[in-house]
Amino acid sequence: MSETDDRVPGRSIYLSVSQLYNLRLACRPIWESYGNVFLVGSVLKRPNFRDVDIRCMIEDEVYYAMFPQSKGVRETKGGGNEFLHPRLLLLNVSISSWLASVMASKLEIDFQFQRMSHANDVYGADHHTRVPIGLRYLTVEEEDARR
């Protein structure tokens, strides 16, 4: 499968409306628990994507508190280091499976926690699009109350 950018003009996410809606709802508890959940990868670039990549980018201090065995391990661009961190692997695979089951579709989900500094250094905004997913929109009443 080609990694080329085959975007259709006017299209930025290659999910159906119902898939995107369900994914937003499914990601809401993750956003509320950790914040900074993003849809990334090929689903934003081409209609023939293989899987749906979701990343939860957390502050380095929080990441190291959650996954202390990862401190000092060199991270690579392609990943693969999660096998050195059983807790990280367990959470990534469990959340991926849970999201896929909640979606009630045949979508493959690849969820990963990432250190924020690593994500910004290696996958910065220059060439990698990120779409926030899982945000809860405020009602008009909630927005008025905030003013």
Side-chain angles (χ1 to χ4, degrees):
M1 191 173 301
S2 168
E3 284 296 319
T4 61
D5 189 337
D6 298 330
R7 286 191 178 117
V8 173
R11 188 90 190 237
S12 61
I13 300 175
Y14 292 94
L15 293 174
S16 70
V17 171
S18 60
Q19 288 172 325
L20 185 58
Y21 177 79
N22 288 335
L23 190 59
R24 284 181 171 147
L25 288 178
C27 287
R28 187 174 293 163
I30 303 167
W31 186 284
E32 290 174 353
S33 298
Y34 301 102
N36 299 315
V37 180
F38 297 95
L39 188 58
V40 300
S42 60
V43 74
L44 304 176
K45 295 180 181 177
R46 60 181 181 271
N48 62 338
F49 60 90
R50 183 179 59 85
D51 61 4
V52 178
D53 296 302
I54 300 171
R55 300 296 180 263
C56 181
M57 298 169 195
I58 53 181
E59 296 288 341
D60 291 13
E61 310 80 47
V62 175
Y63 183 91
Y64 289 131
M66 289 175 61
F67 313 111
Q69 64 274 47
S70 65
K71 201 162 194 155
V73 174
R74 189 174 78 81
E75 293 167 291
T76 59
K77 181 173 180 163
N81 290 331
E82 67 272 8
F83 295 106
L84 302 173
H85 316 106
R87 183 181 302 159
L88 177 60
L89 178 62
L90 175 67
L91 287 173
N92 286 346
V93 171
S94 298
I95 294 173
S96 294
S97 297
W98 176 75
L99 286 171
S101 71
V102 170
M103 290 295 296
S105 69
K106 302 257 187 262
L107 288 177
E108 288 287 326
I109 305 290
D110 177 13
F111 175 88
Q112 294 176 24
F113 284 102
Q114 286 185 328
R115 270 189 324 108
M116 191 171 291
S117 65
H118 177 71
N120 289 334
D121 290 347
V122 178
Y123 304 101
D126 291 344
H127 304 290
H128 300 277
T129 304
R130 298 174 185 165
V131 175
I133 192 154
L135 294 167
R136 186 177 73 82
Y137 299 103
L138 297 177
T139 64
V140 173
E141 293 79 19
E142 289 172 323
E143 193 152 321
D144 287 344
R146 294 181 89 185
R147 294 185 185 150

